[in-house]
Amino acid sequence: MTSLRRLSLVTDEIHPRRPGALRIAIATQDMKALNAHFGSAKHFAVYDVTPDGWDFVEAVSFDDVSSETGKHRIEGDDRITPKVTALRGCHLLFCRAIGGPSAAKVISAKIHPIKVGQAEPIQDVLSRTQQMLRTTPPPWLRKVLAQAGVAEKKPFEDED
């Protein structure tokens, strides 16, 4: 059985998602850097990102994670579904690596996985995402934004 813990900021005010915010999850072992594979991530740092800034939403933590060897334990030992369920509502998932079956589950939950080759500070991931939102986002991100209701859906023929 997988144990799940959530840590959220508590304030006197209720802070709903800002209009136009993109919710992203970052796979991390230490809450400081994007430095984990999806299956072996002990934590996911969840942020709302807009062109103007970002807000920490919550940290989602797991006790029982996969090793990074690529080998699975016993048949029927599902550690992926609870992670995908915990990330519902996110639009993007940044991780060092993700296997095919995990990627399929993430995509079917309408979360776009992004593999990043090198570990990097969480702040760098947030800054890069914010910069993409400020400029002309690439087609894959425009599609995610449209599906999330954050941007207007435009046909690709209308692009310059």
Side-chain angles (χ1 to χ4, degrees):
M1 183 166 125
T2 301
S3 176
L4 165 72
R5 290 181 310 282
R6 291 182 180 269
L7 169 67
S8 303
L9 294 178
V10 178
T11 63
D12 292 337
E13 301 175 29
I14 296 173
H15 296 285
R17 187 182 308 187
R18 286 195 277 172
L22 187 66
R23 183 150 294 173
I24 69 168
I26 300 170
T28 179
Q29 302 298 25
D30 57 10
M31 293 300 294
K32 296 177 185 176
L34 185 171
N35 57 8
H37 294 209
F38 176 74
S40 65
K42 292 179 184 172
H43 313 283
F44 290 97
V46 180
Y47 290 84
D48 280 345
V49 182
T50 66
D52 302 321
W54 58 77
D55 295 314
F56 174 77
V57 174
E58 68 179 342
V60 182
S61 300
F62 298 87
D63 289 331
D64 189 23
V65 298
S66 301
S67 68
E68 292 186 7
T69 64
K71 294 183 180 181
H72 298 277
R73 280 197 237 168
I74 58 173
E75 197 65 34
D77 187 15
D78 183 8
R79 289 186 222 98
I80 301 306
T81 301
K83 286 186 173 190
V84 174
T85 301
L87 297 179
R88 292 235 187 249
C90 290
H91 304 112
L92 301 178
L93 163 67
F94 290 89
C95 56
R96 291 284 318 278
I98 186 167
S102 296
K105 286 184 179 185
V106 167
I107 291 167
S108 77
K110 299 196 183 325
I111 304 168
H112 186 87
I114 301 168
K115 294 193 294 187
V116 178
Q118 300 291 330
E120 61 182 284
I122 287 175
Q123 186 167 346
D124 290 357
V125 177
L126 296 169
S127 293
R128 190 172 61 248
T129 304
Q130 184 182 22
Q131 184 62 28
M132 281 192 293
L133 293 173
R134 272 193 203 132
T135 60
T136 304
W140 64 266
L141 184 53
R142 286 196 303 271
K143 181 178 177 183
V144 169
L145 292 168
Q147 289 173 340
V150 175
E152 185 180 322
K153 196 174 215 171
K154 295 180 183 177
F156 286 109
E157 296 84 37
D158 293 346
E159 296 178 6
D160 294 347

